[in-house]
């Protein structure tokens, strides 16, 4: 089962590092940098993912994307058989492998890893007897021009290990996670080898269809929207059609949403998706990936994405990111509200938006789950543990709403999906979201089993089950998020303004500062307290105390950029600006 060291070394020779000192780190979002530097990293990630598959005796995944970053960047993330992220214990191994100086070093590290990890495996571990050729790594990519070449590099790494590389072509990150989990659960099967070779020739052709993915989400959405059978007519939707304007970030989400838009519009749900920023080639008039659009732009700038300034008044809008694993909703403020003087669309600055961010999506999900729990029989309802996982960036008003109004537990985790996701597993229903729109909800297998037993006699149990199918539980998924939000708003009989009225965000300000070495800043308590340099937290505490009631501020070194991020939240926008500026200044002088 141990592959040939020479075969690995000679395959590696085709993908030299861009320079001897190139040592990228597998960080919060995997490897990510300018695409032209990534050939060796991608090949080596292919090797490592194949090792991971071999050690576990199960199929894994590899997603080639740089999400919301500029089009010239690219990146890669490794996906576990369960559809979850690579365990943190393996991240330093990925970093070490990407930094190896020679092809021999790469091959030796891979073989020693395979041997040591396989030895660690228990006698019952299926990996011991699994032939490498029966294992697969599913490879997906987004729409970046660099994706085909990098996909090829990753596939050659996988194949050098004797594992099958299965190209899914252009898929969203959550679709890739879903497919990997479904394959391992036996809900999908691998195509024959000849079909794989044919699919490999065209990067946009998927070797495994997405029928199961859409066939899980869409019927559950449709049934959920219908509401409890025999519901009073007051709960019926106020209008037969529900227009939703979707900013697709000129990314991979556009093509997949376009495939299901007709089904959604014609189904009983009447959800009419108007897809904007759909990408495509410049000749077709397609906009550039993530440029002046996408969830990151809208959330950070609080501005309407390109093409959204002249929509119908109060149009319901949402924005996804370049790989469709993030979602925020928004309403464009009218030009009159912004006292815009110019009527020239070229010079008119983007309109401001009222944002409904990840915190608010989490609050909506949690509120719906709370409603349904009331419809479950006792003692089941009492035993179900429901919680919400947030980060320090969650607006204090959302945390207060979830704890005080909904009476649910809130846990604060460190920034990054890999930190929130495991915390959500501690609950029977664990909703997690970052303010930036990354998030999902997890349902424990034992709860699912109990709900299945009573679903025919209990409407609330059936609805919770449907919610668990609409939501992609492997990772945050913008499509799932759209379907869940739309179904919940409909069932609650709510418009955007009702959703906004749940709570009022405290004004907040985010800023960033550059310091010589950001690693001198160490944090504790889910990044809410700076423990180093020692004078920093007392300085922040003093500034926060002076800023008044409900003030809060923290700093943390970014996991994706060479900067320190600063967050401040107070009762007025001016005070938030001032507090953020003062904390930034203290950080600069104390972390110099
Ligand atoms: C990555 C993370 C995101 C996090 C962000 C923080 C994933 C899939 N993505 O984009 O969750 O919010 O990094 O970036 O985990 P920062 O460390 O630069 O603030
Ligand atoms: Mg993303």
């Amino acid at each position: 089962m141990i592959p040939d060291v020479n075969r690995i070394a000679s395959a590696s020779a085709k993908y030299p590092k861009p320079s001897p000192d190139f040592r990228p780190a597998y960080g919060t979002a995997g490897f990510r940098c300018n695409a032209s530097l990534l050939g060796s990293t991608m090949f080596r990630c292919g090797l490592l993912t194949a090792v991971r598959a071999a050690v576990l005796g199960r199929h894994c995944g590899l997603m080639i994307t740089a999400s919301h970053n500029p089009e010239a960047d690219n990146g890669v993330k490794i996906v576990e058989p369960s559809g979850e992220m690579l365990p943190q214990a393996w991240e330093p191994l990925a970093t070490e492998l990407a930094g190896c100086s020679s092809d021999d070093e790469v091959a030796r590290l891979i073989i020693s890893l395979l041997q040591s990890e396989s030895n660690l495996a228990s006698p019952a571990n299926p990996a011991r007897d699994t032939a490498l050729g029966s294992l697969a790594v599913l490879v997906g990519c987004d729409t970046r021009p660099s994706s085909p070449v990098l996909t090829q590099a990753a596939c050659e790494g996988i194949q050098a290990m004797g594992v099958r590389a299965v190209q899914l072509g252009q898929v969203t990150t959550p679709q890739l996670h879903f497919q990997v989990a479904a394959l391992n659960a036996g809900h999908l099967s691998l195509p024959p080898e000849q079909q794989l070779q044919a699919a490999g020739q065209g990067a946009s052709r998927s070797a495994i269809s997405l029928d199961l993915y859409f066939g899980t989400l869409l019927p559950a959405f449709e049934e959920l929207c219908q509401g409890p059978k025999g519901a009073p007519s007051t709960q019926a939707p106020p209008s037969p059609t529900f227009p939703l304007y979707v900013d697709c970030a000129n990314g991979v989400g556009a093509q997949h949403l376009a495939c299901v838009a007709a089904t959604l519009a014609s189904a009983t749900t009447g959800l009419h998706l108007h897809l904007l920023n759909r990408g495509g080639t410049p000749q077709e008039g397609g906009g550039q990936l993530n440029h002046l659009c996408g969830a990151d732009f809208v959330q950070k700038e609080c501005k309407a994405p390109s093409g959204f300034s002249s929509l119908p008044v109060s149009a319901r809008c949402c924005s996804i990111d370049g790989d469709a694993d993030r979602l925020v909703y928004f309403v464009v403020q009218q030009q009159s509200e912004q006292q815009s003087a110019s009527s020239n669309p070229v010079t008119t600055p983007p309109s401001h938006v009222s944002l409904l961010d990840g915190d608010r999506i989490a609050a909506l999900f949690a509120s719906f789950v709370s409603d349904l729990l009331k419809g479950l029989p006792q003692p089941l309802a009492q035993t179900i543990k429901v919680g919400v996982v947030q980060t320090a960036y969650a607006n204090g008003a959302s945390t207060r709403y979830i704890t005080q109004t909904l009476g649910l537990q809130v846990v604060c985790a460190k920034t990054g999906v890999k930190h929130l996701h495991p915390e959500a597993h501690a609950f029977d229903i664990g909703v997690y979201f970052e303010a930036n729109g990354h998030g999902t909800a997890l349902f424990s297998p034992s709860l699912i089993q109990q709900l299945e037993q009573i679903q025919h006699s209990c409407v609330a149990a059936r609805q919770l089950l449907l919610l668990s199918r609409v939501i992609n539980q492997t990772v945050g998924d913008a499509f799932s998020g759209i379907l869940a939000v739309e179904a919940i708003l409909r069932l609650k009989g709510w418009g955007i303004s009702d959703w906004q009225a749940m709570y009022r965000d405290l004004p907040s300000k985010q800023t960033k500062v550059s310091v010589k070495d950001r690693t001198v800043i160490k944090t504790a308590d889910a990044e809410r307290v700076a423990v180093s340099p020692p004078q920093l937290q007392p300085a922040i505490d003093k500034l926060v105390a002076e800023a008044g009631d409900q003030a809060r501020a923290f700093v943390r070194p970014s996991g994706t950029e060479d900067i320190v991020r600063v967050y401040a939240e107070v009762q007025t926008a001016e005070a938030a600006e001032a507090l953020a500026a003062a904390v930034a200044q203290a950080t600069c002088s104390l972390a110099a």
Side-chain angles (χ1 to χ4, degrees):
M1 130 151 196
I2 301 289
D4 180 34
V5 68
N6 295 326
R7 178 175 163 191
I8 297 174
S10 61
S12 171
K14 190 172 160 195
Y15 293 101
K17 288 207 299 179
S19 67
D21 57 356
F22 181 68
R23 294 185 183 278
Y26 195 97
T28 325
F31 289 112
R32 206 176 276 188
C33 63
N34 185 279
S36 63
L37 302 173
L38 276 172
S40 61
T41 308
M42 209 58 77
F43 171 83
R44 294 172 190 196
C45 265
L47 288 174
L48 188 69
T49 313
V51 171
R52 185 76 191 143
V55 165
L56 299 171
R58 306 182 73 200
H59 312 296
C60 287
L62 194 147
M63 182 69 197
I64 299 172
T65 178
S67 183
H68 58 276
N69 283 30
E71 191 166 271
D73 286 358
N74 216 324
V76 56
K77 278 187 280 195
I78 297 174
V79 177
E80 286 282 276
S82 61
E84 296 178 354
M85 292 194 170
L86 183 70
Q88 285 172 55
W90 275 58
E91 292 180 2
L93 299 174
T95 299
E96 187 183 347
L97 187 65
C100 279
S101 303
S102 70
D103 302 317
D104 283 344
E105 207 184 311
V106 168
R108 279 200 307 273
L109 180 59
I110 283 293
I111 298 298
S112 82
L113 188 57
L114 195 54
Q115 282 168 335
S116 63
E117 293 290 330
S118 301
N119 287 343
L120 285 178
S122 76
N125 191 316
R128 288 166 59 93
D129 303 316
T130 309
L132 289 175
S134 68
L135 295 170
V137 174
L138 307 192
V139 183
C141 63
D142 69 19
T143 52
R144 288 177 158 78
S146 55
S147 288
V149 168
L150 294 176
T151 298
Q152 180 65 25
C155 289
E156 288 184 26
I158 297 161
Q159 286 156 350
M161 287 290 299
V163 168
R164 297 171 74 183
V166 178
Q167 291 189 34
L168 299 193
Q170 293 180 356
V171 287
T172 70
T173 291
Q175 285 173 337
L176 186 271
H177 285 249
F178 181 98
Q179 296 289 77
V180 173
L183 181 63
N184 283 294
H187 301 144
L188 286 176
S189 46
L190 287 172
E193 195 61 41
Q194 318 83 294
Q195 211 171 313
L196 284 187
Q197 281 158 9
Q201 286 156 14
S204 63
R205 298 256 334 273
S206 178
I208 306 182
S209 110
L210 287 163
D211 289 354
L212 180 71
Y213 172 81
F214 287 116
T216 304
L217 267 56
L218 298 186
F221 170 64
E222 197 172 321
E223 190 184 333
L224 191 57
C225 283
Q226 284 165 9
K229 301 250 162 31
S233 56
T234 50
Q235 289 195 7
S239 129
T241 62
F242 295 83
L244 176 67
Y245 294 81
V246 187
D247 161 28
C248 301
N250 293 318
V252 67
Q255 57 188 271
H256 292 288
L257 278 175
C259 289
V260 293
T263 314
L264 286 170
S266 66
T268 44
T269 54
L271 177 60
H272 285 249
L273 299 180
H274 298 267
L275 306 178
L276 286 87
N277 299 327
R278 301 167 69 142
T281 62
Q283 292 77 10
E284 295 161 352
Q288 203 182 335
L289 179 66
N290 297 324
H291 181 62
L292 299 178
C293 59
D296 191 64
F297 171 84
V298 173
Q299 193 247 348
K300 288 229 172 73
E301 307 284 330
C302 253
K303 287 187 182 143
S306 198
F308 274 67
S309 294
S310 49
L311 298 184
V313 176
S314 309
R316 184 186 295 188
C317 306
C318 70
S319 188
I320 68 178
D321 70 336
D323 62 337
D325 65 350
R326 266 167 81 167
L327 173 71
V328 292
Y329 269 66
F330 61 94
V331 182
V332 180
Q333 289 173 3
Q334 296 307 304
Q335 290 292 326
S336 55
E337 291 175 52
Q338 303 174 54
Q339 298 165 331
S340 170
S342 169
S343 58
N344 178 346
V346 178
T347 56
T348 304
S351 309
H352 286 274
V353 300
S354 299
L355 187 70
L356 296 101
D357 63 3
D359 299 341
R360 208 170 278 273
I361 297 174
L364 185 71
F365 284 12
S367 148
F368 184 60
V369 166
S370 291
D371 294 347
L372 291 180
L373 287 190
K374 295 184 193 119
L376 292 181
Q378 295 296 359
L380 174 62
Q382 260 172 349
T383 59
I384 299 175
K385 271 174 51 192
V386 181
V388 177
V389 185
Q390 302 185 313
T391 70
Y393 289 107
N395 196 281
S398 75
T399 313
R400 263 186 293 283
Y401 176 83
I402 295 164
T403 52
Q404 294 173 12
T405 308
L406 299 180
L408 297 176
Q409 189 184 343
V410 170
V411 172
C412 186
K414 291 204 285 188
T415 303
V417 171
K418 67 185 181 194
H419 299 296
L420 287 102
H421 193 97
E423 297 277 2
H425 269 312
F427 298 97
D428 293 307
I429 303 177
V431 177
Y432 75 83
F433 264 91
E434 294 188 297
N436 64 20
H438 268 300
T440 186
L442 307 183
F443 294 72
S444 72
S446 73
L447 174 63
I448 295 290
Q449 219 174 27
Q450 293 178 79
L451 295 174
E452 277 169 352
Q453 279 163 12
I454 58 169
Q455 62 176 316
H456 300 297
S457 58
C458 174
V459 171
R462 178 76 190 154
Q463 289 194 302
L464 275 172
L465 273 179
L466 292 170
L467 185 67
S468 77
R469 289 175 200 156
V470 166
I471 289 176
N472 180 348
Q473 295 184 46
T474 60
V475 77
D477 182 336
F479 297 178
S480 275
I482 290 173
L483 298 181
V485 165
E486 292 299 320
I488 294 171
L489 290 179
R490 206 156 315 173
L491 288 166
K492 279 179 169 286
W494 279 11
I496 288 280
S497 53
D498 303 292
W499 187 13
Q500 285 169 320
M502 280 178 120
Y503 60 85
R504 195 187 170 90
D505 275 322
L506 275 171
S508 66
K509 174 71 186 174
Q510 274 196 58
T511 177
K512 50 187 177 183
V513 292
S514 291
V515 297
K516 204 165 88 204
D517 175 10
R518 76 189 197 282
T519 63
V520 300
I521 296 184
K522 306 255 187 286
T523 63
D525 192 18
E527 305 176 322
R528 288 174 291 189
V529 176
V531 290
S532 160
Q535 310 89 331
L536 183 54
Q537 191 57 42
I540 296 174
D541 289 342
K542 184 163 175 286
L543 292 167
V544 166
E546 286 163 6
D549 207 21
Q550 301 193 336
R552 197 165 70 84
F554 65 90
V555 298
R556 54 174 282 277
S558 159
T560 62
E561 287 179 68
D562 189 14
I563 43 122
V564 178
R565 296 201 195 280
V566 176
Y567 179 88
E569 184 177 287
V570 204
Q571 276 189 329
T572 67
E574 297 72 31
E577 291 263 352
L579 179 58
V583 171
Q585 200 181 6
T587 307
C588 273
S589 56
L590 293 170

